Amino acid sequence: MDKNPERISVSCIIPAHNEARRIGKVLDAVVGHPLIGEIIVVDDCSSDDTAAQAQRDGVMLIPLPKNLGKSGAVASGIAAASGSHLLLLDADLVGLTANDINALLQPVLSQQVDVTLSLRRNSPRLWHLIGLDYISGERVFPRSLVASRLAEIRALANFGLEVWLNRLWIAENYRIAVVHWPDVISPYKAQKMGWLRGIKADCAMTRDILRTISLRQILQQIMAMKRQSPPLSQPNDASAS
């Protein structure tokens, strides 16, 4: 981690596929945020108006000519990013505010930890009991960790990115902060697609994760990440600066 906080700069990457109804609210929380240096929206070949909704001042829009899936879209965003640190956000978040962004960034900016990830209000109850959503899509970490691994990211299964990142965080022995977002939800796929398509999408996501790591490795990741989560010296301040 960069030991000079004045040199930390943040690139926000938002991969989006058919999220025209929701991405605007996510952008409301990040556009103009004083802690974010650049915002990159990667439109993963959407068939709706996602790209149009993302065309705002201060937003770099990368339209992909074909659907690459989440891992490929994030790799495209990383390739365009210039910040020392990356802030990854899902495009479908509901209830996200600038204060939530501040809470996710501050533990890294203040050098209390090396990386952060969110724990949303509607994360599975088990994750709340554990105190960790190991597949959270909202994360902050150094760009140097992945800048030379773009081909590796593009080769990942569609939803294999998060557990792949976990592996790197554990190998680097990063200090991890889990930031609670009590007012933020990520809509369930059944709500977005209908029950049948939603169930199929959830099954596909689970398949992608298990193509990347085994169930045993998932449990090992959770235990390792918990060990690497020190108590913060002060409560997360959710007020934006």
Side-chain angles (χ1 to χ4, degrees):
M1 180 177 178
D2 194 332
K3 296 304 181 183
N4 185 348
E6 294 182 357
R7 293 176 57 194
I8 292 178
S9 57
V10 178
S11 296
C12 176
I13 299 175
I14 307 174
H17 177 68
N18 290 343
E19 292 294 351
R21 293 176 56 193
R22 300 176 182 86
I23 193 172
K25 294 295 185 181
V26 175
L27 289 174
D28 286 345
V30 296
V31 171
H33 195 291
L35 300 180
I36 297 176
E38 65 181 356
I39 301 165
I40 302 168
V41 173
V42 184
D43 177 27
D44 195 14
C45 197
S46 298
S47 58
D48 65 2
D49 292 330
T50 294
Q53 294 297 319
Q55 288 178 337
R56 299 192 186 186
D57 289 341
V59 175
M60 179 194 306
L61 176 64
I62 300 177
L64 298 181
K66 65 178 182 178
N67 182 263
L68 298 182
K70 183 175 184 179
S71 296
V74 169
S76 297
I78 294 171
S82 61
S84 66
H85 285 67
L86 302 176
L87 162 63
L88 301 188
L89 293 177
D90 288 341
D92 62 351
L93 298 172
V94 176
L96 184 70
T97 68
N99 290 343
D100 298 309
I101 299 299
N102 195 61
L104 197 64
L105 289 171
Q106 283 292 2
V108 172
L109 297 181
S110 65
Q111 302 189 63
Q112 293 188 68
V113 296
D114 303 298
V115 296
T116 59
L117 73 167
S118 75
L119 183 61
R120 299 180 300 266
R121 186 179 79 197
N122 71 330
S123 294
R125 181 170 177 79
L126 177 60
W127 302 156
H128 280 276
L129 292 173
I130 294 171
L132 170 72
D133 181 352
Y134 77 103
I135 55 171
S136 170
E138 296 81 52
R139 298 171 177 241
V140 178
F141 56 94
R143 181 169 63 90
S144 60
L145 180 70
V146 294
S148 63
R149 301 173 182 264
L150 297 184
E152 193 174 344
I153 296 174
R154 292 188 179 103
L156 290 171
N158 189 17
F159 290 101
L161 177 65
E162 285 80 12
V163 291
W164 180 83
L165 284 172
N166 293 346
R167 183 185 296 156
L168 296 183
W169 288 13
I170 293 166
E172 293 291 329
N173 198 31
Y174 280 160
R175 298 165 298 165
I176 302 168
V178 178
V179 177
H180 290 253
W181 278 357
D183 299 315
V184 181
I185 67 171
S186 179
Y188 297 120
K189 290 179 172 57
Q191 291 176 285
K192 295 166 57 174
M193 306 175 178
W195 286 105
L196 182 58
R197 289 183 61 202
I199 290 171
K200 289 181 178 179
D202 281 331
C203 290
M205 182 177 69
T206 301
R207 181 195 63 216
D208 286 348
I209 292 170
L210 292 176
R211 283 173 58 193
T212 308
I213 62 172
S214 68
L215 180 58
R216 179 180 179 182
Q217 289 171 326
I218 289 174
L219 298 175
Q220 291 173 335
Q221 279 194 358
I222 291 171
M223 290 187 291
M225 292 172 77
K226 288 293 293 180
R227 287 195 300 269
Q228 292 173 210
S229 300
L232 299 180
S233 60
Q234 60 184 7
N236 292 325
D237 182 5
S239 60
S241 59

